[in-house]
Every structure is written in C-alpha cells, then in structure tokens.
C-alpha cells in the first residue's frame, strides 16, 4: 500500500460529505486542505470536527495524540489556488453537473499534472462529469456514504478513460483511511443506490395491492428477515424528497425497467408533504403522543388443536409440531389446512393442489419464524380457521401477522426482488459478485447481500418464487435475472463464480 499518497488531500465542499471525508483522512494523519464556496464554511466545518473530537477526548474515547494529529492535519482554504500542492482532490460540492464540470476545469489548471481528481457525486455518471477534462485518465468517482466517519463503504468508479493506475491509487487510499473500497461500473445509481431500490419499491407494491399495512410489512421484514429497519421506517427516515426522487431517477435512467417502478402512493406522499420524520408525518405519524400502529394479529379464538397439511413438506410438519397440534392423517373436512406456497397466492396454490381454498391457512416458512409468523388466506378464506391457527401460534410465544392473499406473501416477494436485482447487477458486471454482497451490507446495513439472500433461499427456490409471481401477476417486474436462471438450472451453488 502506498503510504505516502496523498501527501496532501484537497476536499472541495465542506458540507456533510466533504467535512466527513476531510475528518476521516485527517484522522489518519493525511494533511487536508478544505475549501467551500460559502465564506467561512470550511473553517466552521473544521471547528465542528475538532469540537466533536474534543468531546470524545474529554470522554476518554480519543487520545491526546489523536486529537493533536487531527487538529494539525486540517486547514481551511480561501481559494482554489490553495489546492495547488494537493496530489488528490475530492469534490463534494452541490449535485449539479455544470458546477462540478466547472470546478474540475479550473482544478486541472491548478494541480500538478500527476495529481488525481475524484468526484463524490451520488447520481451523475462519472464519464459525463469528466468528459471535458484534458486528462480524464487521472479522474474517477469516489463515492462515500453518509455519515462518512461511520460508513465503511466507498464505491470506486472509473470513467471510460480512467487509468488502471488511478484506480489502484484510489483503492489504496480508501484502504489507508480505513474504508472498504468496491470497484463499481459507471452505471446510473452505481451499485448501492441501484441495488437498494428493490427493498422499498416492492414494499410499496405490496402496500398498493392492499396486502398489508406499512407496520405489518415493516414488522415482517425486521422479525423474519433481520433487516434493522422495515422499508417504510427507512423511507420515513431518508425522506420522500430523497427516496422518491432517487427512485424516479433510476427508473428513468434504466429506461422504465419495471423492476425499478415505484407506485402512485410514493409520489403522492411527496406531493402532499408527507416526507417522513423531517415533516413529522410520513408512512407513520411522528406527532407527540402518536400511537405506533400494531402489526400483531389479536384474537379471542380458541387455538386450533388439529390441522391438516396441504402438502407433504418437512417444513410444514415441523411448524405443526412446534404448535403442539395434532396433524390429521386423514382430512376430516373441517380442520384448517396448513400450506406453504412459494411465490403463489393462496388462491392459485389451493386450486392447483385441488384443496378447498376456504380452509387453507398459508404460512410463510421461507424465513425465520421464531419471533413472528405470517399467515395468509384466500379472499373467501374462513377467518375463524385462520384465527384458530393464529391463536395456536400466539400460544407458542410468537407474534402473528395476518395478511391478505398475495403472490409471495410479504417477505418472499421483497427478498426475492432484492436478490433478483443483485443477480441482475452481477449479470451486468457492475461489480464482482462477492463485492455486490459486501457493498449492499456495508452501504445499506442489510443483514445479507442480495446474492447471499439467493444462497439462503436456494437458487431454484428463488427462481420458482419469481416465476410464479411473474406468471400470476403478468408483470415483467418479476422476470428472473438470466444470471440467476442459468445458475439455478445448472444446479451451480458457487455464487462467487
Ligand atoms: N448527503 C449524502 O447522503 C450523500 C452521499 C453520497 C454522496 N453525496 C454527494 O456528495 C456531494 C455533496 O453532498 P452533501 O450532502 O455534502 O451536500 P451539502 O449541501 O451538505 O454540501 C455541499 C457544500 O458544497 C458547497 N459548494 C457548492 N458549490 C460549490 C463550489 N462550486 N465550490 C465550492 N463549494 C461549493 C456548499 O456551500 C456546501 O457547503 C453531492 O454531490 C452529493 O450528491 C451525498
């Protein structure tokens, strides 16, 4: 690793991102010159960094030597010409193509011929930002995540003319400042912003179909799939102004690929000012005293004591055993029939198996059921039978979420879409397969990367979930990625290949 590069780092833009990049590099002892167009913004950003560091020092969390190193490494600049000695300049100014191009045109004339230039843009193509440069070989994207000191990931993105040596040096620099670089192709949304679409948009599609409420969908994704936040909590946190805009940008940039399509409600939330936490109201209310909506089914029904199994599946038998109910060897024509559809809704599943749809209570056993169990019934399903199963599940110490009939329940459809989009990113060669997983875990705090989800579910199971959802909905949104289909059909289990 190149320990002496950069000898001096320049950061232009002292907002959230620029200040974060400056702080992280300075903490590693790299001298940093920070510049902002707003008067005193760079000095104020440095004061804020040092103020926080002093508090950490006072709390015994930062050594005096580390504080001194940070203080001596950071200096504000007044003018672009103050960056002349920098051998790497990272731009983190306003997200505007003309502003960024104008800045780099000036910078090219100021820095040394072998200095590197990088942009932290989150949405502009790297090749387009650098198109007018005289020396595009020394230019690339260096996409940090917010907040920079906490987020480990950096996407390193070459433009069409970026030299391999530039990529190597930016990679080494990222490692030196304690980040995990992932090399990503120059595609709209790069890797993480593109890959992160499926989680929210499939949740929105599920809500649009009236399958479940935001609180139910969030609870399922947290408790059954270990996401730290459900999709609606996450959208409320990032704000509709950000996540609707990014979703629409990516849908348009990918020529209206139905996989990336959002819903009218998403736009409506933005246009009615229901932006999320920052507005006090989004999918949830943040008003004082607002009660959190429950995701849990409640019932006074007597717990079921006998069930039939719609299919001879080990998962179903194990689930029934966990409820302590008797599994009928012969159908008595009355007991609930437990079923485990993959990608199918209860209606299609029951009719295909020749079962009475009214008695079928479907259970999603594709994910963790130790905390919460999702139950699903057909439109003509017997609510009393469902409630008796719910009561048995509740008596076993777990929460129940009862949803309306849907292809793929809630978790199957959201995880299948996350995994399928990851497979498509692998097909497009956006990054090495293992790097796709690493980037999605580090950039979005996902419990597993998309290809790891595919492995967890099993490639052939994932493929059949997607095929069922595509066939039953008639929507190419669910079309399986060829990357997945080939590996599933060939029985390959090495996803890193
Ligand atoms: N905020 C995020 O979550 C995030 C994450 C990744 C990437 N990005 C990208 O990083 C860049 C900066 O984002 P941010 O959130 O820090 O924005 P910000 O608004 O917090 O900061 C931008 C700063 O740039 C300054 N500025 C604007 N034009 C300038 C110019 N011509 N020269 C010098 N300074 C100028 C502004 O005064 C401001 O202080 C954008 O390209 C953004 O898309 C943001």
């Amino acid at each position: 690793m190149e320990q002496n590069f950069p000898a001096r780092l320049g950061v232009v833009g002292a907002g959230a991102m620029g200040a974060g990049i400056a702080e992280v590099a300075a903490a590693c002892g790299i001298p940093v010159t920070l510049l902002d167009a707003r008067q005193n913004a760079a000095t104020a950003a440095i004061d804020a960094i040092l103020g926080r560091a002093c508090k950490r020092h006072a709390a015994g969390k930062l050594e005096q030597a580390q504080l001194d190193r940070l203080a001596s490494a950071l200096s504000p600049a007044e003018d672009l010409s103050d960056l002349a000695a920098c051998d790497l300049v990272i731009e983190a100014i306003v997200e505007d193509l003309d502003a960024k191009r104008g800045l780099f045109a000036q910078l090219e004339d100021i820095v040394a011929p072998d200095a590197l230039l990088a942009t932290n843009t989150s949405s502009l193509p790297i090749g387009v930002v650098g198109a007018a440069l005289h020396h595009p070989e020394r230019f690339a994207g260096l996409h940090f995540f917010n907040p920079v000191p906490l987020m480990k990931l950096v996407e390193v993105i070459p433009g069409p003319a970026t030299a391999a040596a530039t990529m190597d040096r930016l990679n080494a620099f990222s490692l030196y400042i304690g980040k995990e670089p992932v090399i990503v192709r120059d595609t709209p949304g790069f890797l993480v912003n593109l890959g992160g679409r499926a989680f929210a948009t499939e949740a929105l599609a599920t809500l649009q179909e009236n399958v479940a409420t935001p609180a139910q969908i969030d609870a399922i994704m947290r408790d059954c799939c270990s996401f730290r936040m459900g999709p609606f909590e996450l959208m409320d946190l990032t704000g509709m102004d950000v996540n609707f805009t990014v979703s629409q940008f990516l849908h348009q940039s990918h020529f209206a690929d139905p996989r990336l399509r959002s819903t009218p409600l998403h736009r409506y939330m933005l246009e009615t000012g229901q932006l999320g936490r920052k507005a006090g109201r989004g999918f949830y209310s943040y008003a004082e005293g607002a009660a959190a909506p429950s995701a849990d089914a409640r019932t006074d029904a007597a717990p079921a004591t006998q069930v039939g199994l719609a299919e001879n599946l080990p998962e179903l038998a194990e689930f029934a055993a966990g409820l302590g109910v008797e599994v009928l060897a012969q159908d008595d024509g009355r007991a609930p029939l437990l079923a485990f559809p993959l990608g199918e809704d209860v209606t299609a599943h029951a009719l295909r198996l020749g079962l009475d749809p009214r008695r079928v209570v479907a259970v999603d056993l594709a994910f963790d059921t130790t905390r919460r169990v999702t139950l699903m019934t057909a439109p003509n399903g017997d609510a009393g039978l469902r409630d008796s199963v719910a009561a048995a599940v509740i008596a076993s110490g777990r929460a129940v979420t009862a949803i309306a009939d849907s292809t793929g329940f809630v978790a199957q459809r959201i995880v299948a879409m996350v995994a399928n989009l990851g497979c498509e990113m692998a097909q497009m060669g956006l990054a090495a397969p293992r790097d796709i997983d690493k980037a999605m875990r580090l950039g979005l705090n996902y419990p597993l990367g998309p290809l790891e989800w595919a492995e967890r579910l099993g490639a052939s199971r994932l493929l059949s979930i997607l095929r069922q959802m595509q066939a039953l909905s008639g929507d190419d949104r669910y079309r399986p990625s060829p990357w997945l289909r080939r590996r599933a059909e060939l029985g390959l289990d090495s996803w890193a290949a």
Side-chain angles (χ1 to χ4, degrees):
M1 199 183 308
E2 234 180 322
Q3 298 279 337
N4 56 350
F5 175 81
R8 176 165 285 277
L9 171 69
V11 178
V12 187
M17 297 307 290
I21 296 165
E23 176 177 348
V24 166
C28 294
I30 297 173
V32 182
T33 306
L34 183 60
L35 176 73
D36 197 283
R38 274 183 302 127
Q39 230 189 352
N40 295 328
T43 308
I46 292 172
D47 288 348
I49 294 168
L50 295 178
R52 286 193 301 273
C54 282
K55 279 194 190 142
R56 286 204 305 277
H57 174 60
K61 292 179 185 156
L62 193 75
E63 311 235 333
Q64 183 67 43
Q66 291 172 298
L67 181 58
D68 293 345
R69 183 156 71 161
L70 196 60
S72 65
L74 288 164
S75 44
E78 300 271 305
D79 189 86
L80 265 190
S81 59
D82 295 338
L83 302 179
C86 296
D87 46 0
L88 168 63
V89 179
I90 301 174
E91 166 278 311
I93 67 168
V94 60
E95 186 76 341
D96 178 275
L97 180 60
D98 289 339
K100 289 189 193 284
R101 279 182 154 180
L103 173 68
F104 282 115
Q106 286 178 277
L107 274 172
E108 259 202 319
D109 292 337
I110 289 169
V111 297
D114 58 349
L116 301 191
L117 302 174
T119 174
N120 184 49
T121 178
S122 38
S123 64
L124 301 167
I126 304 306
V128 176
V129 175
L133 289 177
H134 296 303
H135 293 289
E137 68 281 357
R138 59 164 162 170
F139 172 76
L142 210 48
H143 186 215
F144 290 85
F145 290 76
N146 191 15
V148 181
L150 296 184
M151 299 299 283
K152 280 276 187 194
L153 181 68
V154 183
E155 294 179 330
V156 189
I157 309 136
T162 306
T166 301
M167 293 298 287
D168 289 346
R169 298 180 94 189
L170 292 178
N171 218 37
F173 162 70
S174 306
L175 288 169
Y176 184 70
I177 61 170
K179 299 296 176 197
E180 297 254 13
V182 166
I183 296 174
V184 178
R185 257 183 50 186
D186 193 8
T187 306
F190 309 130
L191 196 159
V192 166
N193 281 345
L194 173 60
R197 287 310 98 203
F199 188 58
T201 52
E202 193 54 25
L204 284 158
T206 310
L207 180 63
Q208 171 151 305
E209 288 172 31
N210 245 333
V211 169
T213 63
Q216 289 177 315
I217 294 169
D218 282 348
I220 291 169
M221 298 315 290
R222 279 193 318 264
D223 291 348
C224 305
C225 302
S226 299
F227 283 87
R228 287 195 206 164
M229 277 188 165
F232 295 99
E233 294 166 298
L234 186 61
M235 281 186 270
D236 272 4
L237 183 69
T238 53
M240 260 26 91
D241 48 335
V242 175
N243 58 56
F244 178 76
T245 311
V246 174
S247 298
Q248 195 182 33
F249 161 74
L250 285 173
H251 183 238
Q252 284 169 356
S253 303
H254 288 264
F255 294 91
D257 184 339
R259 285 194 188 111
L260 301 172
R261 190 181 61 224
S262 189
T263 62
L265 176 63
H266 200 189
R267 183 199 297 272
Y268 181 79
M269 298 295 287
L270 171 68
E271 291 180 346
T272 54
Q274 300 179 79
L275 302 184
R277 279 180 181 272
K278 66 177 92 169
R281 187 186 178 87
F283 289 103
Y284 298 96
S285 170
Y286 299 92
E288 262 218 27
S294 172
D296 300 355
R298 301 201 194 291
T299 176
D300 297 329
T305 51
Q306 295 185 320
V307 298
L309 299 190
E311 303 149 88
N312 185 16
L313 293 174
E315 290 104 325
L316 272 178
E318 201 183 311
F319 176 72
L323 296 183
V325 295
E326 180 192 349
V327 175
L328 298 171
Q330 287 278 317
D331 186 13
D332 68 353
R334 288 193 314 268
L337 296 171
L338 298 185
F340 173 30
L342 284 164
E344 283 179 312
D345 52 23
V346 179
T347 302
H349 193 66
L351 295 179
R352 181 169 64 77
L353 295 178
L355 304 166
D356 178 356
R358 287 171 300 188
R359 290 172 50 216
V360 174
V361 179
V363 195
D364 192 356
L365 301 175
F367 302 97
D368 186 5
T369 54
T370 56
R371 280 175 289 174
R372 179 173 299 277
V373 173
T374 309
L375 300 181
M376 180 168 81
T377 41
N380 64 350
D382 181 327
L385 288 182
R386 182 203 56 205
D387 289 350
S388 71
V389 175
V393 175
I394 293 166
S396 73
R398 294 172 283 176
V400 168
T401 297
I403 64 169
D405 205 6
S406 170
T407 56
F409 293 89
V410 167
Q412 283 180 29
R413 61 191 281 179
I414 294 177
V415 169
M417 287 296 274
V418 169
N420 194 43
L421 189 53
C423 291
E424 191 62 14
M425 296 194 300
Q427 180 65 46
M428 290 158 72
L430 282 199
R434 284 300 169 213
D435 280 352
I436 293 176
D437 282 333
K438 182 164 93 172
M440 295 285 284
R441 268 191 278 100
L442 294 177
L444 295 168
N445 281 327
Y446 281 8
L448 295 173
L451 305 180
E452 290 162 343
W453 274 121
E455 273 171 316
R456 172 73 65 89
L457 266 174
S460 56
R461 187 173 263 194
L462 172 60
L463 181 63
S464 66
I465 290 171
L466 289 161
R467 279 185 168 155
Q468 291 288 1
M469 293 201 296
Q470 185 187 18
L472 290 169
S473 67
D475 193 340
D476 280 349
R477 172 183 185 80
Y478 301 108
R479 70 192 191 283
S481 163
W483 200 85
L484 167 69
R485 180 182 56 75
R486 294 186 188 113
R487 281 157 182 77
E489 289 178 348
L490 292 170
L492 299 181
D493 43 34
S494 171
W495 289 82

